[in-house]
């Protein structure tokens, strides 16, 4: 089997969710660091003209967008697993949380983290990002009361899509202390076989 290549950066939650799934599906792969300098090259531009990560290369297939990549990996290599579902209701619930990952998670805890750690241009105002994160975490904490995972009774790609940036919300100066059910859920994901953590980042002292 051709070795899958995953282009990403280790501190990206979008890349982390794909890497974790690759590991949990026991799929051999090569992780290629793709910082801004690499993404600026013509070679990378041919893989993804938007110059965004992650990018997955599997033989002749080149695929970008972390959620799309996870769907492909499960359909292609994990069809007999529970990471996706053919049940209409469960599939809809998984899609709902993938949308939340691309929406509230991205614009809330992820944006707050990128502003706090790297002062990234184009991010949502930190105050607004914190408001979005608080609303999201309150909803997640209520939703997780009495259940183990976000979408179904088993861990799915919905959990992986939301995990990384929620787990690292404190790096955006967002405390998880008020959300015990969220913290229990994070611990359950971290206890799954072959889980691989995203590196911790030191939060700069606020000016």
């Amino acid at each position: 089997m051709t070795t899958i290549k995953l282009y990403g950066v280790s501190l990206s939650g979008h890349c982390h969710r794909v890497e974790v799934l690759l590991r949990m599906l026991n799929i051999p792969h090569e992780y290629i660091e793709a910082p801004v300098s690499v993404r600026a090259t013509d070679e990378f531009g041919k893989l993804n003209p938007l110059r965004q990560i992650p990018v997955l290369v599997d033989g002749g297939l080149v695929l970008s967008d972390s959620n799309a990549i996870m769907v492909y990996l499960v359909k292609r290599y994990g069809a007999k697993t529970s990471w996706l579902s053919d049940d209409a209701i469960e599939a809809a619930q998984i899609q709902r949380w993938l949308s939340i990952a691309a929406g509230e998670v991205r614009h809330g805890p992820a944006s707050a983290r990128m502003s706090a750690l790297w002062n990234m241009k184009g991010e949502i105002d930190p105050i607004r990002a914190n408001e979005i994160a608080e609303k999201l975490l309150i909803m997640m904490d209520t939703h997780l009361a009495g259940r183990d995972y976000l979408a179904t009774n088993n861990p799915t790609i919905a959990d992986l899509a939301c995990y990384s940036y929620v787990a690292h919300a404190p790096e955006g100066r967002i405390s998880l202390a008020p959300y015990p059910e969220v913290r229990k859920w994070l611990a359950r994901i971290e206890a799954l076989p072959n889980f691989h953590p995203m590196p911790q980042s030191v939060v700069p002292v606020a000016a």
Side-chain angles (χ1 to χ4, degrees):
M1 183 176 70
T2 302
T3 300
I4 288 176
K5 296 180 180 179
L6 176 64
Y7 291 81
V9 294
S10 60
L11 295 179
S12 164
H14 288 80
C15 301
H16 180 251
R17 65 184 66 159
V18 175
E19 184 183 13
V20 169
L21 182 60
L22 283 165
R23 289 171 178 268
M24 290 185 174
L25 291 176
N26 292 307
I27 300 174
H29 62 280
E30 177 186 0
Y31 192 95
I32 301 172
E33 283 288 328
V36 174
S37 59
V38 170
R39 301 199 296 273
T41 63
D42 292 339
E43 182 180 1
F44 189 88
K46 293 176 183 178
L47 297 176
N48 184 359
L50 293 176
R51 301 184 186 277
Q52 296 171 342
I53 49 175
V55 171
L56 185 92
V57 179
D58 185 8
L61 174 69
V62 178
L63 188 61
S64 55
D65 183 87
S66 59
N67 290 344
I69 292 171
M70 289 195 296
V71 169
Y72 166 75
L73 289 174
V74 176
K75 289 291 189 180
R76 177 70 177 84
Y77 297 104
K80 296 183 179 179
T81 69
S82 61
W83 290 105
L84 275 172
S85 175
D86 291 326
D87 177 80
I89 294 175
E90 290 185 349
Q93 290 296 334
I94 292 170
Q95 182 56 58
R96 178 197 181 206
W97 284 99
L98 293 181
S99 296
I100 289 173
E104 287 82 358
V105 173
R106 171 62 184 88
H107 299 304
S111 188
R113 175 176 175 265
M114 284 187 273
S115 293
L117 293 180
W118 304 294
N119 194 27
M120 295 281 286
K121 294 181 179 179
E123 290 303 317
I124 293 175
D125 177 81
I127 294 176
R128 178 59 182 147
N130 274 263
E131 292 173 349
I132 295 171
E134 180 181 14
K135 185 176 181 180
L136 167 69
L137 290 167
I138 290 172
M139 183 275 279
M140 289 184 71
D141 208 61
T142 301
H143 175 76
L144 284 163
R147 68 174 68 217
D148 289 339
Y149 302 104
L150 292 176
T152 75
N153 292 328
N154 302 297
T156 68
I157 61 172
D159 297 285
L160 300 187
C162 293
Y163 168 84
S164 304
Y165 288 124
V166 172
H168 288 257
E171 295 175 4
R173 302 191 177 98
I174 296 170
S175 175
L176 295 176
Y179 312 108
E181 299 301 328
V182 170
R183 288 185 278 111
K184 292 176 187 176
W185 166 73
L186 294 173
R188 283 190 285 272
I189 302 304
E190 291 160 4
L192 293 174
N194 296 328
F195 174 81
H196 177 74
M198 187 165 76
Q200 297 286 331
S201 298
V202 177
V203 183
V205 177

